[in-house]
Amino acid sequence: MCYLTFIRSFLDLEQLLPKWDRYFKGVISLGFLLIVLYVIVAWTSNFSYVLEDRITMFYIGLVILSCVLLSYPLYKTKDVKGYFVVAGITVISIGFFLTFISRLLPLDFSLFYLKVGTVIEILIFSLGLA
């Protein structure tokens, strides 16, 4: 939710792409509902990671998919800050998908790719803020 809020604020998405801004507000609002659902599921399932993961993986996937779909319209705007966001989204998406694939494999699960993608994305966003 904070990631989408950052993108909205950094790009002034309400002015740049108003329809996407409204969509992101909806996804952020859904996040609040999913937090409540997550707490209920955690409490009633005796903190079952299997059930909790379904909620978090759904929302993370929705956020990543939303950002990937935003990339092309954002790129078309030729907004300089948008290029930084597109680069950041690309890197974090690659990290997420590699992590997701490693989660499906019978090998030991690792967040390595997501962590590397996140660090690179933070560097890209820092350059954009600079």
Side-chain angles (χ1 to χ4, degrees):
M1 294 178 326
C2 294
Y3 182 76
L4 295 179
T5 303
F6 167 76
I7 289 174
R8 286 185 61 237
S9 174
F10 179 67
L11 293 173
D12 192 17
L13 203 56
E14 188 173 9
Q15 297 297 319
L16 189 64
L17 295 167
K19 290 180 182 177
W20 279 97
D21 185 63
R22 285 191 299 275
Y23 172 75
F24 273 27
K25 284 180 184 177
V27 173
I28 291 167
S29 297
L30 176 63
F32 286 108
L33 294 173
L34 291 176
I35 287 173
V36 172
L37 179 62
Y38 179 88
V39 170
I40 292 168
V41 168
W43 185 264
T44 59
S45 70
N46 199 23
F47 301 96
S48 168
Y49 292 113
V50 175
L51 297 176
E52 294 169 6
D53 269 1
R54 292 179 184 169
I55 298 167
T56 55
M57 290 303 286
F58 166 75
Y59 190 68
I60 291 170
L62 176 64
V63 168
I64 295 293
L65 179 64
S66 298
C67 290
V68 167
L69 293 175
L70 169 73
S71 294
Y72 182 68
L74 184 57
Y75 179 78
K76 284 182 21 179
T77 65
K78 298 183 181 179
D79 183 68
V80 175
K81 293 186 290 184
Y83 293 142
F84 285 100
V85 172
V86 169
I89 288 170
T90 302
V91 171
I92 195 75
S93 296
I94 291 169
F96 170 75
F97 287 119
L98 290 174
T99 300
F100 184 75
I101 290 168
S102 75
R103 176 114 173 135
L104 298 175
L105 298 175
L107 305 172
D108 288 335
F109 172 68
S110 171
L111 293 174
F112 174 76
Y113 300 113
L114 186 58
K115 290 177 182 179
V116 169
T118 302
V119 168
I120 294 171
E121 181 192 38
I122 289 170
L123 293 173
I124 290 170
F125 284 167
S126 296
L127 291 171
L129 289 169

